[in-house]
Amino acid sequence: MSADDPWILGIDFGTSYTVAAVRSRRGASVIEIAGERRMPSVVLVEDDGSVVVGRPAEDLATSQPGRALRSPKSRLGDSAPVVLGGRAHQVTDLVAGLLASVHAEAVRAQG
């Protein structure tokens, strides 16, 4: 990534899946996130408060359903916090963690 090769990130934050694409002078391409072209829109909060997103969160959610929020998009606009792992979290903070992960992957992919 350089000033000579600027790029634009587009994120389709969906209810079930999130997809990201980058457009630059080299063209447009979908970014693979953890090896997949679409990432499950799932967030999970660990004991230490860290947020896990995507496929790892979906996999962990099967054994730790009380820590996961599937389809966080459907809760946007709801000011009531969600309780995950016994603690209250604002949905906007969880979504921000998911989108920050997508952005970080895009930056990594662009070099």
Side-chain angles (χ1 to χ4, degrees), residues 21-66:
V22 169
R23 181 176 169 196
S24 71
R25 290 185 180 142
R26 294 176 284 175
S29 62
V30 173
I31 296 174
E32 288 193 3
I33 303 167
E36 299 184 39
R37 292 176 59 91
R38 60 183 192 164
M39 177 180 84
S41 296
V42 179
V43 294
L44 180 130
V45 178
E46 297 273 26
D47 285 336
D48 64 1
S50 61
V51 176
V52 179
V53 301
R55 180 70 57 204
E58 186 174 62
D59 293 345
L60 289 169
T62 59
S63 62
Q64 302 174 49

Side-chain angles (χ1 to χ4, degrees), residues 8 11 22-23 41 47 51 66 68-69 76 80-82 84 96:
I8 299 169
I11 300 174
V22 169
R23 181 176 169 196
S41 296
D47 285 336
V51 176
L69 177 61
L76 284 174
V82 293
L84 301 176

